[in-house]
Amino acid sequence: MPRQLTYAEEQEVFARLKAANPHPKGELEHVNAFTLLVAVVLSAQATDAGVNRATRTLWPVADTPAKMLALGEEGLVAHIRTIGLYRAKARNIIALSRLLIERHGGEVPSSRAALEALPGVGRKTANVVLNMWWGHPAQPVDTHVFRVANRTGIALGADVVAVERALENHVPVEYQTLSHHWLILHGRYVCLARRPRCPVCLIRDLCTFEDKTPS
């Protein structure tokens, strides 16, 4: 079982990740808060690359709640058919577009409670929007963040909410706004699920994972 890193070790982990990538960004393509929200809803159980391929034709015709409602569920399906669970996602996106108009004047709210009240929007999706659009130090926990946080000892937790709380408690404040980007990218390209690329890992000497892949 990995141990929790010390504060000094956390500082060093994120200092190295920042030095290697000073301005990390999410990989979902979007043009405003609404398209970010929709992209994150679409990304559930799908890859960012797959979502981006679909939304490159969607955003030019439906980049606001009003335009999405005008497009309609079948029109939306025509754009996102290649994405998993596209029928359920289309229903949720049309429903959340309607609620954004009815409750929020067509704007994406900056409140977690208001975001989570929208169809298809869970805690992780709300945290992504709060962080990426509104600049809140929210900690979205997807499968990559959950794996990396636990495996390395950055933030230990048995479930995503526990890891979210651990990140809030252990990541130094100056790194919290961007920390989830660094962790996602590290999990996506270095700390892989089945065979982590430990020999090229920037934080190999700090990581508490015992089963490191050999050089």
Side-chain angles (χ1 to χ4, degrees):
M1 175 73 178
R3 64 168 177 82
Q4 174 66 52
L5 297 184
T6 66
Y7 181 75
E9 289 170 330
E10 298 272 3
Q11 285 273 5
E12 181 62 21
V13 163
F14 287 100
R16 292 183 192 180
L17 294 175
K18 180 179 181 179
N21 186 2
H23 306 289
K25 296 180 180 179
E27 296 184 326
L28 286 173
E29 296 172 3
H30 59 281
V31 297
N32 54 30
F34 175 70
T35 55
L36 173 61
L37 174 62
V38 172
V40 182
V41 170
L42 290 172
S43 71
Q45 300 182 51
T47 65
D48 287 1
V51 172
N52 289 339
R53 283 193 294 272
T55 58
R56 283 170 194 152
T57 62
L58 178 60
W59 299 153
V61 297
D63 61 353
T64 68
K67 291 179 182 177
M68 190 66 75
L69 283 181
L71 182 63
E73 186 174 326
E74 290 306 316
L76 174 56
V77 163
H79 288 274
I80 66 170
R81 194 181 298 275
T82 56
I83 298 174
L85 306 174
Y86 66 90
R87 281 284 178 191
K89 291 175 181 179
R91 285 193 297 272
N92 284 333
I93 290 166
I94 294 301
L96 74 81
S97 298
R98 184 175 294 108
L99 287 181
L100 286 175
I101 293 171
E102 293 175 354
R103 297 179 182 176
H104 305 287
E107 301 295 326
V108 174
S110 59
S111 153
R112 178 184 281 111
L115 285 166
E116 288 190 36
L118 298 171
V121 178
R123 189 175 185 87
K124 189 208 81 172
T125 298
N127 280 341
V128 171
V129 174
L130 290 172
N131 181 286
M132 290 182 61
W133 192 259
W134 297 110
H136 295 186
Q139 299 296 326
V141 179
D142 69 354
T143 56
H144 295 300
V145 173
F146 185 83
R147 179 178 69 256
V148 172
N150 273 295
R151 180 183 276 171
T152 61
I154 290 171
L156 305 181
D159 55 47
V160 294
V161 175
V163 169
E164 180 184 330
R165 294 287 183 255
L167 288 168
E168 292 171 348
N169 291 335
H170 294 289
V171 174
V173 172
E174 64 267 34
Y175 299 114
Q176 286 202 4
T177 302
L178 295 176
S179 60
H180 85 280
H181 287 306
W182 286 312
L183 295 178
I184 288 171
L185 294 172
H186 195 67
R188 188 170 287 164
Y189 299 111
V190 179
C191 196
L192 308 179
R194 294 186 178 180
R195 187 170 175 80
R197 301 175 62 216
C198 300
V200 299
C201 178
L202 291 171
I203 60 170
R204 178 188 174 100
D205 58 314
L206 297 166
C207 170
T208 61
F209 182 54
E210 294 181 356
D211 299 325
K212 292 184 176 74
T213 52
S215 301

